[in-house]
Amino acid sequence: MQNTMFNSTGELLATGDKGGRVVVFQREQESKNQPHRRGEYNVYSTFQSHEPEFDYLKSLEIEEKINKIRWLPQQNAAYFLLSTNDKTVKLWKISERDKRPEGYNLKDEDGRIRDPTTITALRVPVLRPMDLMVEATPRRVFSNAHTYHINSISVNSDYETFMSTDDLRINLWNLEITNRSFNIVDIKPVNMEELTEVITAAEFHPHQCNTFVYSSSKGSIRLCDMRASALCDNHSKFFEEPEDPSNRSFFSEIISSISDVKFSHSGRYLMTRDYLTVKVWDLNMESKPLETYQVHDYLRSKLCSLYENDCIFDKFECVWNGSDSVIMTGSYNNFFRMFDRNTKRDVTLEASRENSKPRAILKPRKVCVGGKCRKDEISVDSLDFSKKILHTAWHPYENIIAVAATNNLYIFQDKVN
């Protein structure tokens, strides 16, 4: 699974995969005789969002793999979501049909045009009930605006615009207009040999439609204000933590690259994920992060082999819970981590087939470094780096989480439910 995202009510959960498909799950309504069943998510709609393409000008294959999915706020009975691969963003409408019109005048029930000479009376078409159908239809295609791969999309709080981001540029689109976009950030140097960093992610502020942030491969975050100028080349705030010289190594620059940036629901904080840590920043303090959480510090000694097997370039995402009090992010061996910002307690949990029987309780896992391991611990040398959790999602109000492992999607909820 590539990407997972709850919609604004938490009733739907969308996931995208490597094959360009989007699968939408819907939460079951509570039944009187089985109240504990509330919260089960079942497949609601599956559709092919992107197909493989070929760029003839550059002789490049464009994969169908879905990079990001974003829901639009719901405004009527239908649902809308944006999905993107490396080059093209699409707006999909997901709607239900449980009635069909019958009794057309000019054509038969199976759609064939009737011979006008046989039509002797006017009929009033009627709507007859039918089995519920969920239809996904593409409403807009936003293409041809990116030279490099799109790494993120973000819907603005004005519900009219969204941005798409690649390595060197950020484009602003109107949801109604597909043939033009505005370039709001461009960090491409005149001479590409002078390129020192790329954009890794960007997100709009949850309430202020003029504010957005973008992160870079150098570990910095820039906050921009679109009211200041049309091209946001000058940021209004710059967040970066100076590196401790004693920790400097060959891998320092690679592991400081930010793979994800998320505003808190309140809009007061920013969370960033780099290779080894999650940091929480206060928007009013640029000099250093408010909080730093070690995700898998035991990998510091393994950076050489992680570089050789390319894992050091993995892009982990991070998410807030609904009240911004707990943060979650993934790791290797199908582990994912949770950090409670109030109690400072943290836990490592595992999403795997073995321990994911329905209603099973997840046991906390511990990784030991060197020497003897206790029997409930796993040695850092036996971690499986091919099993990684890059994408996670948290229900907007409840303690329900979705965790995307390599080929499976796991949904967990707390025992209180």
Side-chain angles (χ1 to χ4, degrees), residues 357-375:
K357 296 182 184 66
R359 318 243 170 284
I361 290 175
L362 290 181
K363 289 200 243 349
R365 304 297 308 260
K366 281 210 163 49
V367 178
C368 71
V369 184
K372 276 207 166 86
C373 288
R374 299 220 290 278
K375 72 173 195 305

Side-chain angles (χ1 to χ4, degrees), residues 313-326:
F313 302 107
D314 285 334
K315 293 176 170 48
F316 291 96
E317 293 178 1
C318 50
V319 289
W320 304 86
N321 72 339
S323 61
D324 298 334
S325 61
V326 183

Side-chain angles (χ1 to χ4, degrees), residues 394-410:
W394 204 309
H395 188 288
Y397 311 113
E398 295 177 44
N399 280 333
I400 300 175
I401 58 169
V403 175
T406 321
N407 292 317
N408 300 303
L409 179 73
Y410 298 93

Side-chain angles (χ1 to χ4, degrees), residues 157 203-209 211-213 223 237 239 262-271 280-285 290 320-324 341:
S157 59
E203 191 179 62
F204 273 117
H205 189 282
H207 318 303
Q208 299 165 4
C209 60
T211 309
F212 67 94
V213 292
L223 181 88
K237 290 192 177 184
F239 303 86
K262 293 262 172 45
F263 275 103
S264 62
H265 295 83
S266 67
R268 165 92 193 258
Y269 303 104
L270 266 179
M271 169 168 55
V280 175
W281 304 78
D282 187 323
L283 285 190
N284 301 325
M285 186 170 80
L290 204 59
W320 304 86
N321 72 339
S323 61
D324 298 334
R341 298 179 58 212

Side-chain angles (χ1 to χ4, degrees), residues 8-34:
S8 57
T9 61
E11 288 301 301
L12 299 181
L13 171 68
T15 68
D17 69 11
K18 283 196 176 77
R21 277 183 324 164
V22 172
V23 183
V24 180
F25 298 87
Q26 185 184 42
R27 195 174 181 190
E28 245 179 46
Q29 294 305 312
E30 192 165 356
S31 62
K32 289 194 172 60
N33 48 4
Q34 285 181 307

